[in-house]
């Protein structure tokens, strides 16, 4: 014990001295902020001041008022509080918006395989029989036209017409400006018409090759006769029907993101206990889930009304929503993990990166967890 | 303008009176020169809160700076380590390129050709060395609150984890990015035999980073020398701690 400590009056003996009264209103201890209400006010023997000894930490608190600086201290405190609340609300909105957007990304990004599967089924059921019937009809018509003009199989080009027409085939540049301009016009026209015709031919050839793509137009009448569940089952179930590589990489990124989010939230809401944090996680995801459910209901209704739509859209409604459900379930789990591990992790990072002297101002993180605050040394 | 402080006994203005830390209660006491009554002077709670807020902000900034510096050095070292291992695993293309260039252009300046061919691998190797030394120096300077064996163990764990993460990332890039946007030979190297080589090279990087220990101590000394004046001011402030107000 040092000399100065030895010379300090004993608090017990001090309380036996002159008792002035009892504190009947709130007053925080200057060291530990313990409420001193109900404590004895005593006249301390050394300076004869009216003091209270804090029963928690033993600090002497004098009965003097703080001089007020004016109204601006309170105003600044209110402004800072409002700013903090706005920042938290903005972060809350940002989390909701981001989780909703990621949900839509998952819904649309993992359905290519299933959309192609639907397209293929539509081609097999509708387009291929139609094509076979059309080809049979064309063959029949060609057989009927057999014996007629054999060379009328392909439509002639303008160049062919020019060559075949005696009057036009003789058109040549004569040096007469008016005549040459007319010849130029005929040649340009023939070139343009031939180009258009060649494009049409190429397009017809393209239509002839039936390729299953996610963007294929599906007839609404055909789709309404299908059972979506059996279609998913025929694709091998949800797990085989989705684009697994995209799904897994996305889930990895989402897991990382949601854990980081959870850590941030748990440290921003340092005053909340863990059960409350779980409630916050549910609150954060509830609006996004409501938005997705609303969109799903609208999409299902519109699918029953539309006459034609893309295979992708059907896949998004009947497979994408299952993916979204998996995403939300994993999001809430990872967010909760982040919320549970956020505070210990932050304390660990502080221990790793900061020297003891700098840890002291962040003692709130330890006190909130009911742990002894870090020591200066 | 100072905040007023009035004697509770006689009303004397004590604003200009210096407060002294008393030996009994460790409180800043002002004794009224007129009536001898002792009163306590304390800082305004708003100022106290502001000070603690500044302290918290400073600690958060320090934490962020430390974490970003550490993560940045680890990331840079891991990337350069992969590149160094890639270049070092097969140097024959550079030797061949140098020889064939000299054969095709006999009048070419050999030094210029050498730097054109070997410039990239040499600069990468120098960067790797510099970052490894910087890592060691940072570790010595900023992690002095940990025992040295813990410090270096943590450094090794961070580097190995970073290298593993980079290898995983390369696999992800290989799956998602078209091959014409990447260096196919580099990707093949990393995916096929790079894991063992790069992880072995991390051990070399850890050994090289021990060169940073004297560098770190030197830098600390430099900072200490430049801060001598500052410390003198702090000493004076410490001596004056007993006189508050």
């Amino acid at each position: 014990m040092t000399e100065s400590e030895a010379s300090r009056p004993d608090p017990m003996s001090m309380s036996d001295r002159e008792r002035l009264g009892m504190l009947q209103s709130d007053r925080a201890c200057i060291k530990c902020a313990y409420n001193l209400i109900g404590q004895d006010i005593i006249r301390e023997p050394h300076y004869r001041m009216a003091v209270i000894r804090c029963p928690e930490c033993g600090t002497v608190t004098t009965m003097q008022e703080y001089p007020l600086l004016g109204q601006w201290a309170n105003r600044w405190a209110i402004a800072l509080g409002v700013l903090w609340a706005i920042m938290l609300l903005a972060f809350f909105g940002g989390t909701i918006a981001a989780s909703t957007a990621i949900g839509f990304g998952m819904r649309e990004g993992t359905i290519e395989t299933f959309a192609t599967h639907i397209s293929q089924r539509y081609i097999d059921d509708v387009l291929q029989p139609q094509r076979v019937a059309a080809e049979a009809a064309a063959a029949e018509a060609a057989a009927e036209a057999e014996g007629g003009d054999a060379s009328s199989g392909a439509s002639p080009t303008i160049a062919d017409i020019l060559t075949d027409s005696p009057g036009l085939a003789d058109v040549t540049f004569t040096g007469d400006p008016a005549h040459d301009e007319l010849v130029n016009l005929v040649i340009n026209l023939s070139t343009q018409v031939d180009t258009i015709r060649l494009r049409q031919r190429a397009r017809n050839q393209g239509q002839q090759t039936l390729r299953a793509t996610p963007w294929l137009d599906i007839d609404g009448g055909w789709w309404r006769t299908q059972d979506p569940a059996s279609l998913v089952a025929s694709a091998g179930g949800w797990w085989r029907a989705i684009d697994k590589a995209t799904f897994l990489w996305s889930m990895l990124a989402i897991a990382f993101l949601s854990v980081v989010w959870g850590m941030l939230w748990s440290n921003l809401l340092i005053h909340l206990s863990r059960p409350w944090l779980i409630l916050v996680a549910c609150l954060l995801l509830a609006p996004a889930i409501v938005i997705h459910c609303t969109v799903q209901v609208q999409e299902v209704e519109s699918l029953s009304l539309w006459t034609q739509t893309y295979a992708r859209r059907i896949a998004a409604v009947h497979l994408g929503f299952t993916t979204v459900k998996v995403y939300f379930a994993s999001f809430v789990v990872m967010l909760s993990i982040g919320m549970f591990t956020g505070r210990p992790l932050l304390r660990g990072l502080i221990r790793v990166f900061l020297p003891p002297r700098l840890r002291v101002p962040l003692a709130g993180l330890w006190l909130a967890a009911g742990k002894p605050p870090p020591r200066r040394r | 303008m100072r905040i007023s402080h009035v004697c509770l006994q006689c009303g004397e203005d004590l604003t200009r009176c210096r407060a002294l830390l008393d030996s009994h209660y460790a409180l800043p006491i002002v004794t009224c020169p007129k009536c001898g009554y002792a009163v306590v002077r304390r800082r305004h709670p708003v100022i106290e809160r502001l000070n603690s807020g500044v302290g918290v902000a400073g600690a958060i900034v320090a934490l962020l700076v430390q974490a970003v510096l550490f993560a940045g050095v680890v990331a840079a070292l891991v990337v350069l380590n992969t590149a160094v291992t890639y270049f070092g695993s097969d140097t024959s293309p550079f030797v061949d390129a140098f020889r064939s260039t000299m054969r095709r252009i006999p009048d070419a300046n050999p030094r210029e050709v050498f730097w054109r061919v070997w410039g990239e691998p040499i600069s990468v190797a120098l960067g790797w060395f510099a970052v490894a030394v910087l890592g060691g120096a940072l570790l010595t300077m900023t992690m002095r609150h940990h025992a040295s064996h813990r410090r270096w163990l943590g450094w090794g764990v961070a580097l190995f984890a970073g290298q593993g993460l980079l290898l995983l990332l390369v696999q992800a890039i290989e799956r998602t990015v078209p091959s014409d946007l990447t260096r196919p030979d580099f990707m093949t190297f990393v995916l096929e035999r790079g894991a063992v080589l790069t992880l072995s090279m991390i051990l070399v990087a850890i050994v090289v980073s021990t060169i940073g220990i004297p560098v770190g101590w030197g830098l600390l000394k430099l900072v200490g020398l430049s801060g001598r004046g500052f410390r003198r001011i702090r000493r004076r402030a410490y001596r004056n701690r007993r006189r508050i107000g």
Side-chain angles (χ1 to χ4, degrees):
Chain A
M1 193 179 280
T2 60
E3 193 181 338
S4 63
E5 281 173 339
S7 62
R8 284 181 189 179
D10 180 38
M12 293 308 291
S13 63
M14 202 169 82
S15 64
D16 293 339
R17 301 291 174 88
E18 196 178 345
R19 182 178 176 276
L20 300 174
M22 192 178 73
L23 191 68
Q24 295 184 351
S25 55
D26 291 334
R27 179 181 284 264
C29 167
I30 53 168
K31 190 176 181 188
C32 69
Y34 179 78
N35 195 343
L36 299 171
I37 187 168
Q39 298 298 318
D40 285 342
I41 302 169
I42 50 174
R43 178 80 70 189
E44 53 85 20
H46 193 79
Y47 295 112
R48 309 287 301 160
M49 288 190 298
V51 297
I52 293 177
R53 174 80 73 171
C54 176
E56 281 291 304
C57 64
T59 306
V60 172
T61 303
T62 52
M63 296 293 99
Q64 283 176 250
E65 298 303 325
Y66 299 113
L68 280 176
L69 280 173
Q71 289 299 315
W72 274 102
N74 285 336
R75 284 174 191 160
W76 277 115
I78 290 167
L80 284 174
V82 169
L83 199 69
W84 178 250
I86 289 171
M87 200 198 79
L88 279 184
L89 279 174
F91 194 48
F92 188 80
T95 309
I96 291 168
S99 57
T100 311
I102 292 169
F104 279 114
M106 291 292 286
R107 180 189 159 108
E108 297 292 328
T110 55
I111 51 164
E112 295 273 328
T113 313
F114 186 58
T116 312
H117 179 73
I118 293 172
S119 300
Q120 191 59 54
R121 177 65 75 86
Y122 180 65
I123 287 169
D124 294 345
D125 286 1
V126 179
L127 295 184
Q128 193 64 29
Q130 277 179 1
R131 186 186 174 188
V132 169
E135 279 175 357
E140 200 177 324
E144 281 176 8
E146 196 77 28
D149 187 5
S151 64
S152 63
S155 48
T157 62
I158 290 287
D160 297 335
I161 294 165
L162 283 172
T163 315
D164 294 344
S165 307
L168 288 172
D170 294 337
V171 170
T172 51
F173 292 103
T174 58
D176 177 20
H179 180 80
D180 287 356
E181 194 180 347
L182 185 68
V183 171
N184 265 331
L185 193 69
V186 168
I187 290 169
N188 281 340
L189 185 67
S190 69
T191 313
Q192 284 175 22
V193 171
D194 283 348
T195 310
I196 291 165
R197 188 167 287 164
L198 285 170
R199 279 182 191 162
Q200 280 177 345
R201 277 184 194 166
R203 200 176 300 149
N204 290 339
Q205 281 170 357
Q207 279 177 354
Q208 281 166 8
T209 52
L210 294 170
R211 201 161 60 84
T213 66
W215 294 101
L216 190 76
D217 276 332
I218 303 288
D219 182 49
W222 173 79
W223 174 248
R224 280 187 279 280
T225 62
Q226 303 297 310
D227 177 24
S230 67
L231 205 64
V232 173
S234 71
W238 170 77
W239 178 242
R240 285 184 188 280
I242 57 163
D243 302 340
K244 273 193 283 298
T246 315
F247 177 78
L248 288 174
W249 284 112
S250 307
M251 286 308 286
L252 199 68
I254 288 162
F256 176 75
L257 198 69
S258 48
V259 167
V260 171
W261 251 326
M263 288 173 177
L264 278 174
W265 272 113
S266 66
N267 287 300
L268 284 174
L269 305 175
I270 192 80
H271 55 286
L272 292 184
S273 60
R274 285 181 171 174
W276 280 101
L277 283 177
I278 296 292
L279 190 70
V280 169
C282 296
L283 267 177
L284 280 169
L285 287 185
I289 292 169
V290 168
I291 291 168
H292 272 275
C293 288
T294 313
V295 169
Q296 175 70 6
V297 169
Q298 283 180 348
E299 288 276 296
V300 169
E301 278 179 9
S302 68
L303 269 188
S304 63
L305 299 172
W306 281 42
T307 53
Q308 218 169 32
T309 188
Y310 294 124
R312 263 192 84 87
R313 195 147 173 249
I314 297 170
V317 172
H318 290 287
L319 190 80
F321 193 61
T322 314
T323 315
V324 168
K325 282 190 262 186
V326 174
Y327 152 70
F328 275 123
S330 54
F331 197 103
V332 79
V333 169
M334 299 312 280
L335 199 67
S336 305
I337 289 173
M339 283 179 165
F340 276 166
T341 56
R343 290 174 191 170
L345 192 83
L346 186 62
R347 287 199 297 271
L349 280 176
I350 289 168
R351 270 195 225 103
V352 168
F353 287 116
L354 292 187
R357 186 176 53 83
L358 280 174
R359 290 177 204 163
V360 174
L362 301 171
L365 289 168
W366 277 262
L367 294 172
K371 293 176 185 299
R375 290 178 184 171
R376 194 172 282 273
R377 284 281 162 197
Chain B
M1 182 72 76
R2 291 189 178 191
I3 302 168
S4 72
H5 189 198
V6 181
C7 174
L8 295 175
Q9 183 87 356
C10 65
E12 175 77 4
D13 190 354
L14 305 173
T15 309
R16 295 278 164 191
C17 296
R18 194 172 289 280
L20 297 172
L21 274 178
D22 87 304
S23 57
H24 296 278
Y25 307 114
L27 289 171
I29 298 284
V30 179
T31 310
C32 177
K34 193 174 168 186
C35 65
Y37 190 75
V39 286
V40 175
R41 179 176 292 164
R42 294 207 313 247
R43 280 187 170 172
H44 193 276
V46 173
I47 303 295
E48 283 291 316
R49 289 249 176 115
L50 192 69
N51 281 348
S52 70
V54 169
V56 170
I60 290 172
V61 168
L63 176 68
L64 286 176
V65 168
Q66 288 265 58
V68 167
L69 260 179
F70 190 74
V73 167
V74 167
L77 189 53
V78 158
V79 169
L80 287 169
N81 187 64
T82 313
V84 160
T85 318
Y86 165 63
F87 287 131
S89 65
D90 186 11
T91 52
S92 58
F94 300 104
V95 177
D96 294 345
F98 180 74
R99 282 182 187 159
S100 65
T101 311
M102 290 307 293
R103 209 178 301 123
R104 273 191 285 115
I105 315 166
D107 299 338
N109 183 356
R111 187 177 289 175
E112 193 181 334
V113 174
F114 175 83
W115 282 112
R116 276 185 187 278
V117 172
W118 284 92
E120 192 183 5
I122 287 177
S123 53
V124 164
L126 284 176
W128 173 83
F129 181 82
V131 172
V133 172
L134 178 72
L138 268 179
L139 216 61
T140 311
M141 286 173 74
T142 62
M143 298 280 180
R144 280 185 304 158
H145 52 282
H146 293 296
S148 59
H149 69 278
R150 272 189 175 191
R151 205 186 302 164
W152 287 94
L153 192 70
W155 178 238
V157 168
L159 285 182
F160 276 109
Q163 189 66 63
L165 206 66
L166 185 75
L167 291 172
L168 278 177
L169 199 69
V170 169
Q171 286 199 13
I173 290 169
E174 201 265 339
R175 278 166 183 265
T176 49
V177 178
S179 59
D180 53 340
L181 293 178
T182 58
R183 291 173 74 154
D185 50 342
F186 174 72
M187 302 302 270
T188 314
F189 161 76
V190 172
L191 293 171
E192 286 180 0
R193 58 202 174 91
V196 177
L197 286 175
T198 47
L199 289 173
S200 319
M201 197 66 183
I202 283 289
L203 287 173
V204 183
I206 292 169
V207 173
V208 169
S209 57
T210 54
I211 299 171
I213 298 174
V215 176
W217 282 116
L219 284 171
L220 273 178
K221 197 157 192 177
L222 202 69
V223 172
L225 284 174
S226 65
R228 185 170 284 172
F230 178 69
R231 282 206 301 278
R232 196 177 296 140
I233 294 167
R234 280 187 64 183
R235 268 203 298 276
R236 195 178 298 155
Y238 180 77
R239 277 201 299 272
N240 292 343
R241 262 177 67 190
R242 297 183 67 80
R243 294 181 298 163
I244 294 178

